[in-house]
Amino acid sequence: MAHTGEKCPTTGRWQGDDAHHTIEHMKAGDTFPPCSHCKRSVNYTFLG
Ligand SMILES: [Zn+2]
């Protein structure tokens, strides 16, 4: 589990846990963004 503002530990797809369920394609070292729809902080789960 990761959160908006934290650094990404693992390259891959991460899914936000709010109602929009946005999927971000992240690289290790990138900073997790807010939800791209509602701009709120979200938790991310690694999809792979
Ligand atoms: Zn949202």
Side-chain angles (χ1 to χ4, degrees), residues 3 11 15-17 20-21 23 25-27 29 33 37 45-46 48:
H3 192 74
T11 299
Q15 183 166 42
D17 72 344
H20 297 110
H21 300 292
I23 294 177
H25 295 262
M26 302 289 296
K27 290 178 183 171
H37 289 272
T45 301
F46 186 60

Side-chain angles (χ1 to χ4, degrees), residues 18-22 35-40 42:
D18 81 343
H20 297 110
H21 300 292
T22 53
C35 174
S36 57
H37 289 272
C38 65
K39 312 303 182 191
R40 296 184 183 206
V42 291

